[in-house]
Amino acid sequence: MNKTRFFFVTAALVSAFMLQSCKSEYEALLNGNDLDAKYNAAFDYFNHGKYSKAAQLFENMSILTTNTERDDTVQYYWGLSNYRFKDYYTAETNFSKFILNFPYSPFYEEAAFLRLDCLYRSTYRWELDQNPTYTAIKAISEYVIENPRSTHVPICKKMLDELGERLDTKAFENAKLYYKMERYNSAVVAFKNILKDDAENIFREDILYYTAKSSFKYAQNSVESKQKERYLAFIDDYYFFIGEIEDSPYRKELDALFHRAQKALGRYTGAEEDLLEKEKDFERERKKLMKQSAESGS
């Protein structure tokens, strides 16, 4: 065996031995009854960023320290270790139990905020399930109302803004999908429902634009007998848009659609019906004259 290979083999054996030794020492702590040793080791692991091991030790101690002066400290750092380890689901459970059991602890305010942060971090991007988002918004809103002077309120409001934008985006994109699929009537209903449920949606201008545009396309693609009432519905949506947002980058396009709708509606003003009636009168008069001519010729 050459010297280089011997060195690497020796280093591997030493590392394996040290790892086994550390593992044995840690397992001895977990399985032992020395509460002080566990307590000190848990904080040592925590302070050195070994949050998973710290969490296990704090959890291990949690029963042993129940109703002692260390109880709230162990419970809080158990949750904080899971939080630092980015296990937000477990940490949220820890902090929820903590604020229920230790309302007078000096860790209470921070635990209450960290629980909210866990809920916030457990939400998903807008394309996915938004039930966790609704849960987080409800909890954060309640906290802000109940603790208006808390130093955490500004960041809570930022969380609410971001989560609200996520819900706004999902609602808008879901409605827009009907438009992309050319299901224009469904799109109109979906866009209007968004503003019915949330008038302050951040995409309000886009929603009003797509409502009007969907309404026009729905009329345009309808059978002739339905076009008049549907073009009139588009004109209502158009006037609603310009009445609220006079200066919009969408205005020029909607103006063009409005003029096309007016042109289409010109067929239903009564002029066409008058012309048809005159043509019928002419045809009746023509037939009458033909009949008279035939009778006089005979």
Side-chain angles (χ1 to χ4, degrees), residues 39 42-43 46 54-62 74 77-78 81:
Y39 190 81
F43 277 103
F46 180 87
Q56 290 181 66
L57 282 171
F58 285 121
E59 180 182 8
N60 185 269
M61 282 187 286
S62 62
V74 168
Y77 275 94
W78 177 15
S81 296

Side-chain angles (χ1 to χ4, degrees), residues 208 235-247 251:
L208 292 175
I235 288 176
D236 286 341
D237 294 330
Y238 166 80
Y239 279 128
F240 189 85
F241 180 93
I242 64 172
E244 181 170 320
I245 312 167
E246 188 173 351
D247 298 320
R251 179 65 186 270

Side-chain angles (χ1 to χ4, degrees), residues 16 22-23 32 43 55 69 75 94 96 113 116 129 132 144 152 172 183 190 192 208 220 231 251 253 258 278 292:
C22 291
K23 185 177 179 181
F43 277 103
E69 61 181 11
Q75 295 286 347
N94 292 142
S96 291
F113 169 72
L116 302 178
D129 177 32
V144 170
H152 297 301
F172 173 64
R183 293 173 59 183
K192 289 186 175 181
L208 292 175
Q220 185 182 45
Y231 275 123
R251 179 65 186 270
E253 180 183 358
F258 174 71
K278 287 178 182 179
Q292 291 174 351

Side-chain angles (χ1 to χ4, degrees), residues 152-288:
H152 297 301
V153 166
I155 192 169
C156 284
K157 288 184 176 179
K158 288 183 179 179
M159 289 179 184
L160 289 173
D161 287 343
E162 184 179 331
L163 295 174
E165 286 180 12
R166 198 176 304 171
L167 294 180
D168 286 356
T169 302
K170 188 174 184 70
F172 173 64
E173 293 295 339
N174 283 350
K176 194 175 175 182
L177 187 60
Y178 287 116
Y179 178 85
K180 291 178 179 178
M181 295 168 63
E182 299 183 0
R183 293 173 59 183
Y184 299 119
N185 189 38
S186 296
V188 170
V189 173
F191 283 123
K192 289 186 175 181
N193 281 340
I194 292 174
L195 297 184
K196 187 184 296 182
D197 296 335
D198 177 21
E200 301 301 320
N201 187 291
I202 61 171
F203 297 100
R204 184 176 178 86
E205 181 176 353
D206 301 87
I207 290 168
L208 292 175
Y209 160 72
Y210 276 105
T211 299
K213 193 171 180 181
S214 299
S215 187
F216 177 85
K217 287 183 175 290
Y218 181 51
Q220 185 182 45
N221 294 330
S222 297
V223 295
E224 188 171 358
S225 61
K226 297 286 187 180
Q227 284 186 332
K228 180 180 179 180
E229 63 177 287
R230 291 172 184 176
Y231 275 123
L232 290 171
F234 157 73
I235 288 176
D236 286 341
D237 294 330
Y238 166 80
Y239 279 128
F240 189 85
F241 180 93
I242 64 172
E244 181 170 320
I245 312 167
E246 188 173 351
D247 298 320
S248 168
Y250 296 130
R251 179 65 186 270
K252 186 175 180 180
E253 180 183 358
L254 291 182
D255 283 348
L257 297 181
F258 174 71
H259 293 309
R260 288 172 64 184
Q262 283 187 314
K263 186 177 180 181
L265 283 169
R267 297 178 307 184
Y268 308 111
T269 58
E272 184 179 8
E273 286 82 355
D274 291 343
L275 180 61
L276 288 172
E277 193 60 36
K278 287 178 182 179
E279 288 177 348
K280 289 178 181 177
D281 289 342
F282 176 80
E283 183 65 14
R284 282 194 291 268
E285 188 65 23
R286 187 181 69 83
K287 288 181 179 179
K288 182 179 178 181

